[in-house]
Amino acid sequence: MYEGPIQELIDELGRLPGVGPKSAQRIAFHLLYAGSEDVERLASALVKVKQTVRFCEVCHNVSAEDRCRICRDPRRDPTSICVVEESKDVVAIERTREFRGTYHVLGGAISPIDGVGPGDLNIRELVMRLGDGTVTEVIVATDPNLEGEATATYLSRLLLPMGLKVARLASGLPVGSDLEYADEVTLGRAFEGRRYVEA
């Protein structure tokens, strides 16, 4: 244990996701020895992000304005919505340049162990967006883990009675991997999502 402000900094850094005690200590000492300008620039960026960044009033993606750039883009297909857990998932999908519709960010996934239920996510807002009949397809792109699967199942049961096409992203073997290292669930999904070769 260190004394005073350095221990406070280590404690605060340790509260960040993915930052353990050793990493928090390393970052704290890096900041201690860094130039004042570098530390002030970091502090300024942290304050600025809290003061200026908000969530899009339509899709709940992070945005500097009331509506994010995707919701403002008239070239996007309004009939298709891709539902994701977090804003970082939007960035990942956008990098593929395969999807030209709009998004809806849930703000997490259903996780009873963590006390997160459907009411804690932006599901009600999604249903409200679907109310006017413009959207015909919903792609559920939640993570392929227990929480993501639970969320996808919940959404499918909620949305299918509305007469929408509901799709789930395919999952299976990653490119460049070996079959021997794949777990049973991944291998099973790969078989479910198999495609037939055409001549």
Side-chain angles (χ1 to χ4, degrees):
M1 292 276 280
Y2 298 93
E3 57 184 66
I6 192 71
Q7 187 59 49
E8 288 176 32
L9 179 58
I10 291 170
D11 292 343
E12 289 304 313
L13 290 169
R15 293 175 55 204
L16 296 172
V19 179
K22 294 249 187 233
S23 294
Q25 182 177 316
R26 237 183 341 268
I27 295 167
F29 278 96
H30 171 79
L31 293 171
L32 182 64
Y33 295 120
S36 294
E37 323 78 52
D38 294 337
V39 175
E40 286 170 12
R41 206 168 37 250
L42 174 62
S44 173
L46 290 170
V47 170
K48 187 175 182 180
V49 79
K50 283 306 287 178
Q51 290 175 342
T52 62
V53 176
R54 57 185 73 120
F55 294 97
C56 175
E57 64 187 13
V58 177
C59 73
H60 302 279
N61 191 10
V62 291
S63 177
E65 299 179 31
D66 290 337
R67 288 187 175 212
C68 70
R69 65 174 176 76
I70 294 171
C71 288
R72 290 192 318 263
D73 187 347
R75 297 169 297 177
R76 302 302 288 223
D77 178 6
T79 65
S80 182
I81 289 182
C82 182
V83 179
V84 296
E85 291 179 24
E86 305 287 346
S87 294
K88 58 184 167 56
D89 301 326
V90 172
V91 174
I93 294 170
E94 282 295 289
R95 277 197 306 257
T96 68
R97 296 194 172 130
E98 293 291 327
F99 181 69
R100 296 301 304 157
T102 59
Y103 293 91
H104 189 83
V105 180
L106 294 173
I110 295 171
S111 177
I113 292 174
D114 298 320
V116 179
D120 300 310
L121 306 175
N122 296 319
I123 293 174
R124 185 171 38 93
E125 292 83 352
L126 172 63
V127 172
M128 288 171 56
R129 282 182 72 185
L130 302 173
D132 68 1
T134 303
V135 177
T136 57
E137 176 190 41
V138 177
I139 301 166
V140 181
T142 52
D143 290 341
N145 56 24
L146 197 60
E147 294 82 8
E149 292 297 326
T151 306
T153 301
Y154 179 86
L155 288 174
S156 298
R157 290 180 180 159
L158 181 69
L159 302 178
L160 283 171
M162 296 173 73
L164 298 162
K165 286 193 296 184
V166 179
R168 180 89 169 103
L169 284 187
S171 59
L173 298 170
V175 175
S177 67
D178 294 328
L179 282 178
E180 66 181 298
Y181 300 117
D183 62 273
E184 296 85 12
V185 174
T186 301
L187 215 46
R189 285 283 172 76
F191 272 99
E192 285 175 18
R194 68 186 178 275
R195 293 182 308 184
Y196 292 95
V197 179
E198 296 182 22

